[in-house]
Amino acid sequence: MSAISISNLNSSSFLLTGFPGLEAYYLWLSIPFSSVYAMVFLGNCMVLHVIRTESSLHQPMFYFLAMLALTDLCVGMSTVHTVLGILWGFIQEISLDSCIAQSYFIHGLSFMESSVLLAMAFDRYIAICNPLRYSSILTNDKIMKIGMVILCRSFLLIPPVIIRLKFLSYCRPHVLSHSFCLQQDVIRIACSDIRFNSFYGLFLVVSTLLLDAVLIIISYVMILRAVLAIASQEERLKSLQTCVSHICAVLVFYIPIIGLTMVHRFGKHLSPLVHVLMGNIYIIFPPLMNPIIYSIKTQQIRKRVQKLFYLE
């Protein structure tokens, strides 16, 4: 990025970072990125369509999967315009208001995905540890209430830290580290007192992502104990197989987050390209992989997808 483009920035705008050193190849890079976003949209829309049209999939497990697919679809929609806009040469900068809005949706959807994964872990716990009461515990009414709690938890706790970005002063170069806006990236270039954003942001991470991860681990410890108590080897494997898709989805979500955190924390000496790539993996990888995981590993989804494409 040139000094001229930085100096021409409006005081309420930020320069987005594309892929440093690869500017000459943006047109070629746009092809795989466009393909990945197309797969994100088509894959998650396919999962939603299959669940909506197949009456046998109107069960708690698949309602939670629909929530996950809808969340992944929204994640793609929240970032596609800036990532592809940079690669196609349409966008170089983003206004403060647009940056705040994008940051709100990215963080809110990340918390929502974590919450949905926790709800899916609870679903697997009930199905394996208390199967006789499964249908009475996870009624449609309960699932709607869980969905409302997830929405409120994901989007009503964030405004204090996001809205405050509007009132900070930014005296450092207005250059962001990614092709989209993250709250922690924006406060890095602020020269105001950012202690509230830092502490409240840490509270949000601990009370959502970290807490959810701990509860998911606890649920699987209890599931494993229940499975090991089953006498039949065949029944043990059958029970565990119902959890494989969810375990893969959890790993696909948390590994990129841990990787991005490690790069931000300990990789300041690394090339800016590494930071940009990790940021894009964090945003794109889970929405891309989840439909693939559930289409391959979940028998009911796989069979319905095969029918959809006239493969059987």
Side-chain angles (χ1 to χ4, degrees):
M1 61 195 68
S2 65
I4 296 175
S5 61
I6 294 175
S7 64
N8 287 338
L9 271 177
N10 186 285
S11 60
S12 61
S13 297
F14 299 98
L15 192 67
L16 294 165
T17 298
F19 297 86
L22 300 177
E23 288 82 1
Y25 305 101
Y26 275 7
L27 191 59
W28 292 106
L29 283 173
S30 69
I31 296 173
F33 271 88
S34 299
S35 301
V36 167
Y37 273 107
M39 290 173 66
V40 167
F41 295 138
L42 292 175
N44 286 288
C45 285
M46 180 189 68
V47 170
L48 288 169
H49 173 74
V50 165
I51 293 172
R52 185 182 68 85
T53 56
E54 184 62 45
S55 58
S56 64
L57 300 182
H58 294 175
Q59 304 171 28
M61 172 184 172
F62 297 105
Y63 290 145
F64 290 129
L65 177 56
M67 293 182 198
L68 186 67
L70 184 59
T71 303
D72 286 338
L73 192 62
C74 292
V75 169
M77 293 173 65
S78 68
T79 59
V80 63
H81 62 289
T82 53
V83 176
L84 292 185
I86 290 171
L87 293 175
W88 288 337
F90 298 146
I91 296 174
Q92 274 193 314
E93 60 183 80
I94 186 171
S95 68
L96 176 60
D97 290 340
S98 297
C99 189
I100 289 171
Q102 187 180 50
S103 179
Y104 173 74
F105 283 109
I106 289 175
H107 291 296
L109 290 166
S110 292
F111 295 155
M112 185 169 176
E113 181 140 357
S114 176
S115 300
V116 173
L117 289 172
L118 175 60
M120 295 173 85
F122 176 69
D123 169 83
R124 291 299 83 205
Y125 167 75
I126 298 297
I128 293 173
C129 298
N130 206 344
L132 297 179
R133 296 188 58 203
Y134 180 76
S135 57
S136 62
I137 293 174
L138 287 175
T139 62
N140 289 344
D141 184 55
K142 292 271 182 64
I143 292 170
M144 287 184 64
K145 288 179 180 177
I146 290 172
M148 290 303 300
V149 170
I150 289 173
L151 276 173
C152 293
R153 182 189 187 225
S154 303
F155 290 102
L156 295 185
L157 292 176
I158 300 179
V161 73
I162 296 295
I163 291 173
R164 196 166 185 277
L165 296 176
K166 178 74 173 175
F167 304 100
L168 297 177
S169 60
Y170 302 95
C171 57
R172 298 183 179 90
H174 292 200
V175 183
L176 301 178
S177 303
H178 302 288
S179 308
F180 41 80
C181 292
L182 297 176
Q183 187 267 158
Q184 59 267 36
D185 200 18
V186 176
I187 63 172
R188 179 182 56 84
I189 59 178
C191 50
S192 305
D193 184 357
I194 60 169
R195 284 178 297 179
F196 173 79
N197 286 69
S198 297
F199 290 129
Y200 192 83
L202 180 61
F203 161 75
L204 287 177
V205 170
V206 171
S207 63
T208 53
L209 300 180
L210 184 58
L211 177 62
D212 291 351
V214 170
L215 292 176
I216 288 170
I217 291 171
I218 291 172
S219 71
Y220 271 102
V221 169
M222 298 173 74
I223 287 171
L224 191 58
R225 287 179 59 187
V227 169
L228 292 176
I230 299 173
S232 169
Q233 182 82 10
E234 185 179 344
E235 287 298 317
R236 287 182 188 177
L237 290 174
K238 187 176 179 182
S239 298
L240 287 175
Q241 282 174 355
T242 65
C243 302
V244 171
S245 299
H246 179 254
I247 292 171
C248 291
V250 170
L251 294 175
V252 158
F253 177 71
Y254 279 100
I255 288 176
I257 288 180
I258 294 170
L260 183 63
T261 302
M262 297 295 285
V263 166
H264 275 171
R265 180 74 177 172
F266 304 107
K268 293 177 182 176
H269 63 285
L270 296 174
S271 165
L273 184 59
V274 175
H275 290 259
V276 172
L277 287 174
M278 283 304 302
N280 280 283
I281 290 171
Y282 157 67
I283 288 293
I284 298 176
F285 192 61
L288 173 67
M289 292 305 299
N290 284 335
I292 297 173
I293 290 168
Y294 278 93
S295 296
I296 294 173
K297 292 293 184 181
T298 306
Q299 185 178 17
Q300 298 96 317
I301 295 285
R302 184 175 66 249
K303 286 185 175 180
R304 188 63 181 85
V305 169
Q306 288 173 343
K307 288 180 181 178
L308 192 65
F309 289 98
Y310 304 102
L311 295 179
E312 64 172 31

